Amino acid sequence: MVREPAETDWRTGWRTGFEHAATVLPGRDVRVLFGAGSLDLVAEEARALGGRALLVAGPHEDHAASVVLQALAGDAAGRLRDVAQHVPVALALAAVQRASADRVGVLVALGGGSATGLAKAVARELHLPVLAVPTTYAGSEMTPVWGLTDASGKTTGRDVTVLPRTVVYDPLLTASLPAALTAASGMNALAHAVESLYAPDRDEATVEVAGRAVTALVRALPVAVHRPADPAGRAEALYGAWLAGWALGSTVTGPHHKLAHVLGGKYGLPHAAVHSALLPHVVGALSAEAGDALAPLAGALGEPPTGLGPALHRFARGLGAPTALAGLGRALGDDDLRSVARVVAGSGVPSPRPLSEEGLLALLRDARAGGQP
Ligand code: NAD
């Protein structure tokens, strides 16, 4: 079971020194360090994984990247600064060549799910360990799931090789997340926990962890969005994202993730925003059949299970998170939505109730419009 970070004063130390929790999740060989200021531990942790470190960090992380590169000193093999959502194949190939040519021994992913995703793509090819330092609530650092995108769409798979060996959560790094990204990424994390709650292979541990994630996220996200510099809100939101990612990686995903992946991969839509717009509608469609499984969400939102779709919609609106697919990027016509509905209906993903192509099309139309489910 996950050791409760509160035992190690994980909320303290904002800006002045740090306390950190080092946790190994049983059954998952992932070492987790959580605490404000723990960025300072990254170089040492990378050395412990071995060899020269290649840093994968997008442009928004220039400052933190320079801190890590400086601390790595002679053990640094440089930095990949070009990252993109859904990991385009060409980007992955170039990164593999670079890591191979530079005789890299460990990949350090510093950033959101895009940086983690690129590091995973390299790890999968070269069997290198990954150290992840997340700066969003995407949760990819806790899963063995990889993804690659080409012109035909997105391919995902599970491979324990890509599961990061060490994860360093430093809530200080999330302080710069703008409100809109905090809200959308937070809804993405909430979706991970929710879909884990009704997964057919859930067990006592995943239900407990996903329930704790939901509680933490529902409590902390309004604080992180509306009082972004509040250390407790930032720390608890990141803690919720950690547990949600753990739950996501420990259970199979269902219709919500399948819809998000097909939409995001095929039409290049922003990942977290798509999750945010879809979640109220998917939960609205499934809550009756999911029944008691969604009790932790009902408890956190203070709503009966039957009202969870509208309650999630209100929650997202309160955060200023996206509630409509329309306006997220490429305009989606009815033909686009039907093609997504067909792929998802035919995919055989487990669901509390089977969703037909027509049912999914209606759901997608509602999510495109963005009204209350
Ligand atoms: P992202 O990594 O692309 O980040 C979103 C935006 O936020 C970017 O513009 C980035 O520059 C900016 N950003 C990130 N951290 C910041 C910070 N602290 N301050 C300011 N700006 C910051 O997007 P994401 O939503 O984190 O991740 C999405 C990607 O991750 C998708 O490709 C998705 O498929 C993948 N993902 C994979 C898994 C998995 O288990 N494999 C899980 C979740 C997401």
Side-chain angles (χ1 to χ4, degrees):
M1 187 46 53
V2 177
R3 182 165 10 124
E4 183 63 72
E7 288 166 12
T8 50
D9 294 336
W10 62 289
R11 288 165 203 253
T12 66
W14 185 261
R15 293 184 202 291
T16 55
F18 61 86
E19 303 284 332
H20 69 270
T23 309
V24 176
L25 304 174
R28 308 279 298 283
D29 192 13
V30 181
R31 171 170 161 81
V32 176
L33 297 107
F34 191 112
S38 50
L39 181 70
D40 292 346
L41 305 174
V42 169
E44 188 187 325
E45 291 292 323
R47 282 191 191 98
L49 288 177
R52 279 154 60 75
L54 179 62
L55 183 61
V56 183
H60 66 281
E61 289 306 336
D62 280 351
H63 175 69
S66 69
V67 170
V68 171
L69 287 172
Q70 206 171 0
L72 282 169
D75 295 318
R79 170 186 180 191
L80 296 176
R81 195 167 178 266
D82 192 12
V83 301
Q85 296 219 338
H86 309 300
V87 195
V89 166
L91 205 58
L93 281 175
V96 168
Q97 278 166 5
R98 165 84 186 269
S100 196
D102 283 349
R103 301 182 318 281
V104 165
V106 55
L107 300 153
V108 178
L110 170 63
S114 297
T116 311
L118 185 56
K120 283 179 166 183
V122 178
R124 184 165 163 254
E125 287 299 318
L126 301 180
H127 294 266
L128 293 174
V130 176
L131 186 162
V133 190
T135 63
T136 69
Y137 308 130
S140 174
E141 70 281 356
M142 276 290 131
T143 83
V145 179
W146 55 268
L148 280 173
T149 306
D150 62 17
S152 63
K154 184 165 182 174
T155 309
T156 60
R158 281 175 184 252
D159 181 345
V160 81
T161 311
V162 309
L163 178 69
R165 298 263 293 275
T166 302
V167 180
V168 176
Y169 287 106
D170 186 343
L172 288 174
L173 297 174
T174 62
S176 58
L177 259 185
L181 275 172
T182 300
S185 192
M187 288 296 293
N188 186 184
L190 196 54
H192 295 158
V194 167
E195 194 132 82
S196 179
L197 283 174
Y198 59 63
D201 57 346
R202 65 187 183 274
D203 60 20
E204 206 180 319
T206 59
V207 168
E208 184 185 334
V209 173
R212 276 203 233 166
V214 165
T215 304
L217 290 166
V218 168
R219 189 166 51 203
L221 287 176
V223 182
V225 167
H226 298 298
R227 299 203 306 272
D230 183 327
R234 285 294 185 185
E236 190 171 20
L238 192 60
Y239 169 62
W242 163 22
L243 299 193
W246 187 91
L248 172 76
S250 306
T251 46
V252 296
T253 53
H256 174 86
H257 277 79
K258 192 68 188 173
L259 283 166
H261 283 163
V262 177
L263 273 166
K266 198 161 180 197
Y267 303 109
L269 303 179
H271 180 81
V274 168
H275 273 276
S276 179
L278 285 174
L279 188 63
H281 295 278
V282 175
V283 168
L286 299 178
S287 57
E289 283 76 9
D292 287 349
L294 288 174
L297 180 65
L301 290 169
E303 292 284 334
T306 48
L308 284 179
L312 274 172
H313 192 266
R314 283 194 298 278
F315 182 71
R317 284 178 69 89
L319 296 177
T323 49
L325 293 173
L328 291 186
R330 219 198 92 156
L332 297 166
D334 270 3
D335 285 351
D336 299 322
L337 297 189
R338 182 169 286 287
S339 118
V340 173
R342 187 171 303 136
V343 171
V344 176
S347 68
V349 285
S351 173
R353 86 175 159 91
L355 294 170
S356 65
E357 184 180 322
E358 289 309 316
L360 285 163
L361 179 61
L363 186 159
L364 285 167
R365 283 195 180 122
D366 289 346
R368 180 177 59 187
Q372 182 165 293

